[in-house]
Amino acid sequence: MKKLIIVVVLLASYSFAGDLLPLKHGVEFDHKGHQTKKVGMCSVCHGEHIGKIDGFGKEWAHTHCINCHKLYKEGPPTTCGGCHKTMSLLRQ
Ligand code: HEC
Ligand code: HEC
Ligand code: HEC
């Protein structure tokens, strides 16, 4: 029974997770586009806990996003503008 509940919760969260997640500072993250065979399972980014990522922010993103793009030699340019589409970053 516990397992069934977990599966239902996972499916529910799956359908609520938007395709395109607008992150802060002008970063548009194609969540769905990252849920591919190539990138791997949810756990690659979420670990054991599906949902908001604990301590998500610059530190997490710059480590995980950029490292993986370097690893695959794919994704946006690793320069700031590759991910940050607005200039608000420069204004803070
Ligand atoms: C390449 C990394 C990556 C992969 C793979 C990934 N996610 Fe995410 N996911 C994120 C990021 C980044 C966020 C936003 C983090 C935050 O705000 O804490 C997020 C947020 C979410 C949220 C919360 C959405 C919201 O609007 O609050 C759910 C639910 C979720 N993901 C489910 C999944 C599931 C299910 C899978 C696998 C099918 C998956 N994710 C695969 C990176 C990923
Ligand atoms: C585990 C590996 C992995 C992680 C983590 C990851 N990416 Fe990617 N990303 C990829 C790959 C592989 C592609 C190329 C996908 C393709 O086009 O088939 C990509 C493509 C992209 C693109 C290009 C446009 C697009 O959506 O196709 C953007 C922008 C991007 N990633 C942003 C991010 C951001 C922001 C994060 C962190 C929140 C992130 N990625 C985390 C592997 C990763
Ligand atoms: C692979 C994509 C990617 C690249 C490349 C990238 N960033 Fe980011 N950056 C992010 C993401 C994702 C966040 C977190 C967004 C959020 O918290 O919703 C972020 C957050 C930030 C923040 C916000 C810190 C805070 O106040 O929380 C700053 C400043 C920043 N980046 C500067 C830079 C600079 C400067 C560069 C170039 C040297 C750069 N970024 C390159 C994805 C990227």
Side-chain angles (χ1 to χ4, degrees), residues 20 23 27-31 33-34 36 38-41 44-45 53 56-57 60-77 82-83 85:
L20 197 70
L23 302 177
V27 181
E28 289 201 334
F29 176 58
D30 184 358
H31 194 228
H34 276 79
T36 58
K38 193 193 277 168
V39 172
M41 326 232 298
V44 171
C45 296
I53 295 171
F56 181 78
W60 190 98
H62 286 185
T63 309
H64 291 78
C65 314
I66 295 174
N67 281 352
C68 188
H69 295 151
K70 279 189 186 157
L71 185 75
Y72 282 93
K73 296 185 167 61
E74 274 192 82
C83 293
K85 296 298 181 194

Side-chain angles (χ1 to χ4, degrees), residues 13-14 17 21 29 31 34-35 42 45-46 50-53 56:
S13 15
Y14 179 78
L21 282 181
F29 176 58
H31 194 228
H34 276 79
Q35 295 167 5
C42 317
C45 296
H46 288 282
I50 302 293
K52 292 270 174 209
I53 295 171
F56 181 78

